[in-house]
């Protein structure tokens, strides 16, 4: 049964549907993998095997009764520890929430439950998701399964590692500056940042915010599409939710791309990117020509993107932490959170309003660029996974990183466009570290993006490569 865990979630779901495998058997295979590998990786930080066994048995009983099944029926999942999960500890990676047990689920969790997922615990995050390196004072650091001495990225780092190591079928996450895309790149899995409102968020203090989104993560593109059938779709409690039904993600991912035109940019014209990342991606660009796509090196004008992202992020941090600082004391939070919130306190109304105007101008520049091209390609991360003891990269190619998030602007710049983007496996550096290719789609163009990612995935098959730590599983 151990080979079950390496099937795609879509294949696992079909086996359960055909009653060739039970939800209980699938769960037991994953629990065995967790028992074997999680002590080394620290990806799943709250593990609830007894609850999961009850849920799996209930799922099998439901199927035996002939009841309607959800699209994710019987698939084991663990939820990002930033999400509130009813009756399950939700620490946010912070000592001030170390014992917090919510009374209700965030909307994405409720939808995953309704789709039939079997919850087995929570996945590790940086403290409050700040920064793209998964470590915190409550649970410690999560290690990269391709090199245990390297970071797994973040903030959905525990989710990415659990997927890469065969401990989960699917995983959920969230993304402000790259938190679904960056760990996907660092762990050879797939992460999709949807259009704001595609996966509604509730409850949220600022329901109109479009900087952070919730979304899916999996080992294969088709599994991300499967998850979107469960978590996408409108909700009246989210004023920005999109009306398009989730069922659109059930359409065929196969598509004829002959005549399509896409743009490739190694650096968006201004970002330092480590040469090994660019070399790894450029080695795979001929794959697009093989499937009939014309690739041209080009990029839109990303002027002001840095200031837009830093301003709106700081504004969001001030909103998120002002009351918490009063309640728990500012010193209870890590320095980078305090710094980011302080940046927000210093903003004037003029700063914010001008950032919003510049953001609008940037959106239209990129939108018009994508009237010419079907997609923009660029590196997901500007560096490969870095040493785990390093909080964040301080320089890239000799360029100093002024803040703890400067090194991830290849994702941050895309965030402020509001466009859908995803990271797909694109190969490995000479020393075996995963590299992700970031694909940016047209406005509200998630499905076309998934189709392109699927074509690339099936031509390259990098997602089938297991991490070295998998060989140590019992």
């Amino acid at each position: 049964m151990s080979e079950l865990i390496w099937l795609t979630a879509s294949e696992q779901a079909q086996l359960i549907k055909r009653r060739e495998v039970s939800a209980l058997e699938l769960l037991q295979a994953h629990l065995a993998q967790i028992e074997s590998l999680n002590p080394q990786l620290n990806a799943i930080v709250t593990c609830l095997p007894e609850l999961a066994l009850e849920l799996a048995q209930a799922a099998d009983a439901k199927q035996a009764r002939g009841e309607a099944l959800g699209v994710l029926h019987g698939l084991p999942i663990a939820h990002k520890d930033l999400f509130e999960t009813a009756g399950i500890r939700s620490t946010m990676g912070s000592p001030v929430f170390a014992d917090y047990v919510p009374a209700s689920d965030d909307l994405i969790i409720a939808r995953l439950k309704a789709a039939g997922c079997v919850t087995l615990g929570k996945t590790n995050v940086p403290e409050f998701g700040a920064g793209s390196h998964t470590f915190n004072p409550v649970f410690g650091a999560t290690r990269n399964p391709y090199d245990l001495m390297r970071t797994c990225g973040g903030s959905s780092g525990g989710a990415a590692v659990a997927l890469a190591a065969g401990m989960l079928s699917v995983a959920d996450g969230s993304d402000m500056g790259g938190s679904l895309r960056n760990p996907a790149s660092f762990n050879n899995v797939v992460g999709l940042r949807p259009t704001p409102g595609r996966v509604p968020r509730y409850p949220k203090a600022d329901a109109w915010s479009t900087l952070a989104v919730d979304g899916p993560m999996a080992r294969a593109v088709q599994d991300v599409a499967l998850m979107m059938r469960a978590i996408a779709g409108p909700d009246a409690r989210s004023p920005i939710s999109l009306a398009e039904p989730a069922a659109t993600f059930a359409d065929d991912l196969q598509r004829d791309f002959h005549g399509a035109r896409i743009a490739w940019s190694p650096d968006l014209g201004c970002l330092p990117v480590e040469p090994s990342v660019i070399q790894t991606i450029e080695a795979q660009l001929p794959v697009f020509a093989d499937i009939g796509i014309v690739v041209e090196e080009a990029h839109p004008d990303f002027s002001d993107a840095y200031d837009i992202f830093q301003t709106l992020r700081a504004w969001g941090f001030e909103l998120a932490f002002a009351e918490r600082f009063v309640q728990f004391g500012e010193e209870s939070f890590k320095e980078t959170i305090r710094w980011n919130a302080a940046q927000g306190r210093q903003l004037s109304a003029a700063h914010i309003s001008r950032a919003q105007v510049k953001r609008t101008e940037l959106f239209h520049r990129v939108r018009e660029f994508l009237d010419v091209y079907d997609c923009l390609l660029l590196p997901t991360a500007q560096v490969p996974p870095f040493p785990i003891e390093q909080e964040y990269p301080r320089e890239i190619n000799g360029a100093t990183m002024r803040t703890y998030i400067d090194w991830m602007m290849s994702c941050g710049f895309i965030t402020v466009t509001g466009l859908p983007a995803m990271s797909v496996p694109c190969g490995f550096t000479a020393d075996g570290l995963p590299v992700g290719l970031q694909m940016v789609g047209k406005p509200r163009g998630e499905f076309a993006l998934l189709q392109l990612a699927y074509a690339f995935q099936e031509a390259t098959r990098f997602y089938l490569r297991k991490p070295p730590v998998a060989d140590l599983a019992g």
Side-chain angles (χ1 to χ4, degrees):
M1 298 297 288
S2 62
E3 285 305 306
L4 267 179
I5 63 174
W6 297 112
L7 298 177
T8 66
S10 301
E11 291 168 331
Q12 293 170 358
Q14 285 300 312
L15 288 175
I16 292 175
K17 184 177 181 181
R18 296 195 300 264
R19 304 194 182 199
E20 295 177 27
V21 170
S22 69
L24 181 60
E25 289 170 330
L26 185 62
L27 173 65
Q28 289 170 330
H30 283 88
L31 288 176
Q33 188 78 345
I34 292 168
E35 183 178 4
S36 180
L37 294 185
N38 198 54
Q40 301 168 71
L41 296 170
N42 193 34
I44 298 173
V45 289
T46 296
C47 192
L48 303 167
E50 295 84 2
L51 170 65
L53 289 167
E54 290 178 9
L55 293 173
Q57 289 167 343
D60 288 334
K62 182 177 183 179
Q63 185 172 13
R65 292 192 299 268
E67 297 180 21
L69 306 179
V71 296
L72 303 177
H73 177 80
L75 298 183
I77 192 171
H79 305 299
K80 186 173 182 178
D81 209 23
L82 294 187
F83 290 131
E84 297 210 353
T85 45
I88 301 174
R89 183 170 62 152
S90 304
T91 75
M92 325 293 172
S94 168
V96 301
F97 281 94
D99 300 314
Y100 174 56
V101 179
S104 60
D105 290 319
D106 280 345
L107 178 56
I108 187 174
I109 305 302
R111 286 187 169 184
L112 288 166
K113 286 183 176 180
C117 277
V118 172
T119 297
L120 58 80
K122 304 296 286 285
T123 57
N124 206 19
V125 295
E127 185 178 337
F128 288 104
S132 201
H133 177 10
T134 298
F135 70 95
N136 62 63
V138 182
F139 298 115
T142 298
R143 296 180 179 273
N144 192 306
Y146 286 88
D147 183 339
L148 296 177
M149 300 311 295
R150 301 274 174 166
T151 180
C152 64
S155 63
S156 308
V161 171
L163 285 168
M167 296 192 283
L168 299 175
S169 297
V170 290
D172 52 52
S174 54
D175 185 307
M176 176 183 283
S179 290
L180 278 159
R181 292 162 287 165
N182 176 277
S185 175
F186 279 9
N187 294 277
N188 196 48
V189 299
V190 183
L192 169 66
R193 176 191 163 89
T195 304
R198 178 70 70 197
V199 178
R201 311 179 84 216
Y202 178 84
K204 292 297 168 188
D206 180 5
W208 301 95
S209 176
T210 58
L211 211 61
V213 301
D214 298 340
M217 188 178 281
R219 283 191 297 274
V221 173
Q222 60 267 38
D223 298 344
V224 166
L226 182 69
M227 282 193 73
M228 289 296 284
R229 292 170 59 189
I231 62 177
D235 188 285
R237 294 168 295 182
S238 170
I240 65 169
S241 71
L242 303 181
E244 192 174 8
T248 58
F249 290 96
D251 293 343
D252 191 353
L253 288 177
Q254 293 188 344
R255 172 184 158 193
D256 182 0
F257 278 97
H258 281 84
R261 198 172 163 204
I262 60 178
W264 152 249
S265 177
D267 59 6
L268 296 184
C270 60
L271 297 174
V273 180
E274 195 163 307
S276 64
V277 171
I278 296 175
Q279 291 163 6
T280 302
I281 295 175
E282 287 187 334
Q284 301 306 320
L285 293 182
V287 168
F288 290 102
D290 294 341
I291 56 179
I293 300 174
V294 176
V295 181
E296 301 173 5
E297 188 165 328
H299 59 82
D301 177 6
F302 273 87
S303 297
D304 304 317
Y306 180 86
D307 290 336
I308 296 165
F309 180 75
Q310 291 283 21
T311 297
L312 298 182
R313 181 184 174 95
W315 181 26
F317 266 65
E318 193 283 328
L319 172 65
F321 291 98
E323 293 184 5
R324 287 171 174 165
F325 286 170
V326 172
Q327 182 179 1
F328 300 108
E330 193 165 338
E331 294 304 313
S332 299
F333 300 81
K334 69 178 180 179
E335 189 277 331
T336 48
I337 290 176
R338 301 198 305 270
W339 171 83
N340 230 160
Q343 296 296 110
R345 287 195 296 271
Q346 295 170 17
L347 293 172
S348 66
H351 279 121
I352 297 168
S353 61
R354 286 168 188 159
Q356 295 285 33
V357 169
K358 289 178 179 178
R359 185 184 188 188
T360 301
E361 294 169 350
L362 172 63
F363 166 75
H364 287 302
R365 290 198 300 270
V366 181
R367 176 187 59 78
E368 290 167 2
F369 180 86
L370 290 170
D371 285 340
V372 177
Y373 295 100
D374 292 277
C375 179
L376 170 64
L377 307 178
L378 70 154
T380 303
Q382 293 164 240
V383 296
F386 51 86
I388 197 165
E389 69 274 6
Q390 188 177 347
E391 185 176 4
Y392 61 90
R394 306 285 173 159
E395 62 88 22
I396 303 174
N397 295 353
T400 300
M401 302 293 101
R402 291 179 289 170
T403 77
Y404 77 113
I405 49 178
D406 275 30
W407 67 275
M408 39 191 292
M409 286 299 130
S410 53
C411 284
F413 281 19
I414 303 304
T415 289
V416 295
T417 68
L419 298 173
M422 63 189 299
S423 181
V424 294
C426 193
F428 299 82
T429 63
D431 48 358
L433 298 175
V435 172
L437 173 63
Q438 186 173 186
M439 299 180 169
V440 184
K442 295 175 183 287
R444 295 174 295 284
E446 284 91 339
F447 191 74
L449 197 61
L450 286 165
Q451 289 179 313
L452 178 62
Y454 181 73
F456 179 77
Q457 169 190 279
E458 292 307 292
T460 57
R461 313 289 281 180
F462 290 121
Y463 77 105
L464 295 175
R465 180 163 164 178
K466 300 175 186 176
V469 74
D471 294 333
L472 305 177

